[in-house]
Amino acid sequence: DGGITQSPKYLFRKEGQNVTLSCEQNLNHDAMYWYRQDPGQGLRLIYYSQIVNDFQKGDIAEGYSVSREKKESFPLTVTSAQKNPTAFYLCASSIGRTGRKGNEQFFGPGTRLTVL
Amino acid sequence: AQSVTQPDIHITVSEGASLELRCNYSYGATPYLFWYVQSPGQGLQLLLKYFSGDTLVQGIKGFEAEFKRSQSSFNLRKPSVHWSDAAEYFCAVGVINTNAGKSTFGDGTTLTVKP
């Protein structure tokens, strides 16, 4: 079955620690995205990547970093510089630049990060 | 830049009643438009999308949406709501250019279904 996996589902971190959230897809999609979701605020784009070895900042990139060394993987690191990291994090992918007919996004199940 | 407004934060309907969730967008050309649904603690699932052609779009789970260019709207409808439809619904607008795939999401509408 093709899809997107995120791990872990729940993650706890102490203040001042960096933590990396995993996102893997086997849909052969070029584009991948990270969103942060807080209650009542919808989805806010953190970073996105349209192709391997390339990525761009989204609307709220401060305190986060990403890498895209492989097409199927797009890990997100939440650094200690992120002032309020407790949130629900969603990874998504889409066909990308060559997409036709709408180019919708496919989402993983999410990771809930709690800073203790 | 494009934007999406979902005017209703929370809607409550009785099971079996009809449903309409509103979505207004701002974009300089014909957009790609999407509706997604999210169950608590889960990722988003695509309900339907519009990119061209017939302005009335059919989706999964009995949902449909109508694109109205003159009103910059893409409202989601269902004739008879089931208790399992209780969830959060997001409207999104996609960009038609070299950044194909990047979407802007509304803040969502939470649907509660009364028995």
Side-chain angles (χ1 to χ4, degrees), chain A residues 35-37 41-45 90 107, chain B residues 38 44 90 105-106:
Chain A
Y35 295 92
R36 170 180 172 139
Q37 188 175 27
Q41 294 195 41
L43 277 69
R44 292 185 289 169
L45 183 64
L90 286 163
F107 285 82
Chain B
Q38 183 183 32
L44 278 67
F90 292 94
F105 289 80

Side-chain angles (χ1 to χ4, degrees), chain B residues 80-103:
Chain B
S80 178
V81 170
H82 188 262
W83 63 267
S84 61
D85 293 324
E88 189 156 21
Y89 292 80
F90 292 94
C91 181
V93 58
V95 183
I96 305 177
N97 60 22
T98 55
N99 288 325
K102 185 166 174 274
S103 295

